[in-house]
Every structure is written in C-alpha cells, then in structure tokens.
Amino acid sequence: MNTLSGQPADNQQLPEQELNLFVFRSGSETYAADPELVQEVVAAGEPTAIPFVPDWVEGVVSVRGKIVPVIDLVGFFGLESTTTYNRKRLILFAVDGVEFGLWSEQVLGIKSYPAGLSETPLSTLPATLQECLQSQLRHQEVLVYILDMNKLLEKSRQQVAS
Amino acid sequence: MNVTSNTTAGQGAGSKQLLFFQSGGRRFATLALTVRDIAGADWHLPPAKNGGTRGQLVNLAELLQLPAGKPTRTLILENETGTWGFAVEDIPRDHLQAYPITPLPAVLSDWSRPCVLAGFCQEGDSLCAVLDLEALARLAANEMAVTLEPEKGCES
C-alpha cells in the first residue's frame, strides 16, 4: 500500500497496488489528498474575515493559538455558490511548511483504492480544478478528484498575482 | 481624546496596546501608538504645512471595500504622506486593551494584496484582525494619486 508521495512511478502497470488517500467531501464533489499532508480535522468556528483577499480565502481561524487561513475549495474551483454546503469540519493541511484549512461537510477518512483506477482528469472540468488535480478515480459510482496540494498552492498564488 | 489614556492593564510580556473599533460592521484593532488622536465624525482636515501633502478624510469601510455604515468617530494618523482621518462606525468604551499580536501566516502574505494587516489578536475564542494604519494611509494616498505603483504584500 502506498501513499501518493510514496507510490512507484509505474503504478499504472501494477493494478494490485493500492493508493492510500485521505478522502473528504466539499459541496457536491469528493476529493482526496495525500494523507501525509493532513495534520488534523477540527470543528472550527466562523473564520475571522480579512480585507483584500480573494473570495475563496474565507479568513483565519485559531487552532490552539495558531492562526490558520481557511480556503473555500468550492469557491476556489468556481464550482458552485460558496453558501450551498455545510462547513462542518476543517481539515488542516501542511504543504511544504504552509498550513491552511479546507472546509469539508463530510470527512470519509483514509481509504485505499486500486492504483489502476487512477485516470487522467476529464478535460471538461473547470480549468482551475483540472490544473490542481493529480488524477481522478471512479470507485463504486463515486468520482474522486485526487488533489495535488502543491499545485493548489501554486495556483492560489498565481491567481492573486494576476 | 488622547489615545494613551484610559488604558486597560497589559496582559503580559509581548503585549501591545491596541485600539479597538468597528468599521464595515466588523471589529478591528490597530496599534494604539499609531493613532495620534480620536475625533468626532465632523473632523476637518487641517491646513497643509509648507505646501506639503495634506492627507484626507477617508471612510475606512470604503477603503477596505466593506459595506460602509454611518461614521461616528475619526481615527487620526500623521505620517510622511500627511494627516489622515479614518472615519469608523464605532469605538467601544473599552477601546484600549493590551494583547500579544500574532503575526500573519506566511501564505497570507501571498494571498493578501495589498496587505494592510499587522497581525491578529486573540480575544477569548475569537480573533481580531489588527490593521496597519500606516499601510492604509499609503493605500489611500496611492488611490488619491491614481498611482500605478504596484501594491506590496505583507512582509513576512
């Protein structure tokens, strides 16, 4: 069993291998990420809004005294209104020393999938979502978007800079 | 009103004296030492000295692109760009309190343009954004001059 960061490069040819992913739902979509990047899941209150940030930066929350920026993933990908889903759990990620939180209305936890299910993201996806995906997979009628968190951070910086 | 009077006791080493106020329906703070004075909503800009820059009276909520309420007080700041009055909706009775300021997470420096935050303070369970009035004065000066100089992010 491998995490995203530990999987062999030729896993497409080794269907017996498994992808170990942290899976969660935001809005109407199901996402997955490398579990090694997940610090913890917390029940956070309303973020403190801050001026002059993009709409998808909802603000900051304090987690045991640490200031954590909160991203609305649905808004970032431009998928639907940011008010249509419940912000029940905040998933805290640490990516290359950058800590941030993503809202999730349902945390499904760490799940294993056959690596052979991984496929290239659909070209019809919204551009931002497509650019932030490592791949996607279909399992039991559910389409899971596997996020590349480094690309997500890079894209966020590009959006602000532009 | 002198902003250094009527202070609340500090909350330990590293605490800064903060002045709390409301603008755009939100609670903010700023370093009390940056505020020269607090005036009413009818504050008028003093005459320019030696033909220098005068500054301006600015509705802070509008500058922050927030819904502007009715200003009742004005925070006055003096810096190299002139004298600035920031009209705010309310200043609470216990407006001066000492708190440690937690700096911005580094990634917010990338996401916040322009950056007008000095950090955050923790008030019980909630956070309050600490605004950098000097940065806001520079922003207002740039907007008045319609300058093309790119806004800077926060120094992390």
Side-chain angles (χ1 to χ4, degrees):
Chain A
M1 189 178 294
N2 296 288
T3 64
L4 277 179
S5 58
Q7 64 185 316
D10 59 349
N11 64 357
Q12 297 283 350
Q13 283 76 47
L14 297 171
E16 71 277 8
Q17 293 213 334
E18 290 185 325
L19 287 176
N20 210 17
L21 299 168
F22 182 89
V23 186
F24 61 98
R25 288 179 57 81
S26 284
S28 56
E29 309 296 345
T30 303
Y31 301 94
D34 187 340
E36 291 182 359
L37 302 177
V38 179
Q39 291 192 305
E40 61 180 312
V41 180
V42 298
E46 189 71 20
T48 298
I50 49 181
F52 301 123
V53 290
D55 290 343
W56 43 263
V57 179
E58 290 205 338
V60 293
V61 295
S62 175
V63 179
R64 293 186 296 278
K66 186 163 55 179
I67 307 290
V68 180
V70 178
I71 298 177
D72 167 31
L73 200 58
V74 176
F76 180 69
F77 291 143
L79 293 174
E80 60 185 63
S81 165
T82 58
T83 58
T84 55
Y85 71 99
N86 293 322
R87 291 151 167 78
K88 289 184 176 174
R89 291 285 182 270
L90 190 65
I91 306 168
L92 303 184
F93 288 89
V95 181
D96 283 344
V98 176
E99 296 177 333
F100 59 93
L102 298 181
W103 284 120
S104 170
E105 58 185 333
Q106 188 179 13
V107 175
L108 301 173
I110 297 177
K111 291 185 172 293
S112 297
Y113 299 96
L117 293 180
S118 177
E119 57 188 43
T120 306
L122 293 170
S123 59
T124 51
L125 293 175
T128 306
L129 173 59
Q130 199 178 135
E131 291 170 30
C132 295
L133 292 185
Q134 175 165 314
S135 62
Q136 65 179 37
L137 63 82
R138 293 174 198 274
H139 184 66
Q140 296 178 345
E141 307 295 320
V142 177
L143 178 61
V144 181
Y145 295 122
I146 304 175
L147 298 169
D148 183 327
M149 302 307 270
N150 284 296
K151 284 185 188 169
L152 189 146
L153 274 182
E154 181 186 338
K155 187 68 185 171
S156 73
R157 292 180 171 119
Q158 286 174 0
Q159 279 197 15
V160 176
S162 63
Chain B
M1 179 188 293
N2 186 325
V3 296
T4 59
S5 64
N6 190 30
T7 61
T8 302
Q11 296 188 350
S15 294
K16 302 275 189 186
Q17 198 72 14
L18 300 177
L19 189 155
F20 289 84
F21 57 91
Q22 184 151 325
S23 180
R26 296 183 189 171
R27 180 172 167 85
F28 291 106
T30 192
L31 282 170
L33 286 174
T34 62
V35 180
R36 193 200 71 191
D37 206 352
I38 298 172
D42 57 350
W43 177 77
H44 292 290
L45 194 65
K49 294 175 184 173
N50 304 321
T53 313
R54 293 184 65 200
Q56 187 63 273
L57 175 62
V58 177
N59 186 316
L60 184 58
E62 290 177 1
L63 186 63
L64 294 173
Q65 300 173 1
L66 297 173
K70 184 174 185 237
T72 64
R73 312 293 287 278
T74 305
L75 304 177
I76 299 167
L77 168 85
E78 281 184 339
N79 69 0
E80 74 281 359
T81 62
T83 301
W84 295 89
F86 292 103
V88 300
E89 287 144 34
D90 188 34
I91 297 178
R93 182 177 293 272
D94 56 345
H95 58 278
L96 287 172
Q97 297 184 49
Y99 282 102
I101 298 179
T102 305
L104 269 64
V107 72
L108 270 186
S109 307
D110 299 326
W111 291 340
S112 180
R113 290 286 190 279
C115 185
V116 295
L117 290 175
F120 298 92
C121 68
Q122 181 101 36
E123 291 185 284
D125 290 335
S126 62
L127 288 172
C128 182
V130 180
L131 295 176
D132 180 347
L133 280 193
E134 297 273 359
L136 284 164
R138 289 192 295 273
L139 174 65
N142 280 351
E143 288 194 353
M144 286 173 61
V146 199
T147 178
L148 295 178
E149 181 183 340
E151 299 294 350
K152 294 177 180 175
C154 293
E155 298 297 329
S156 53

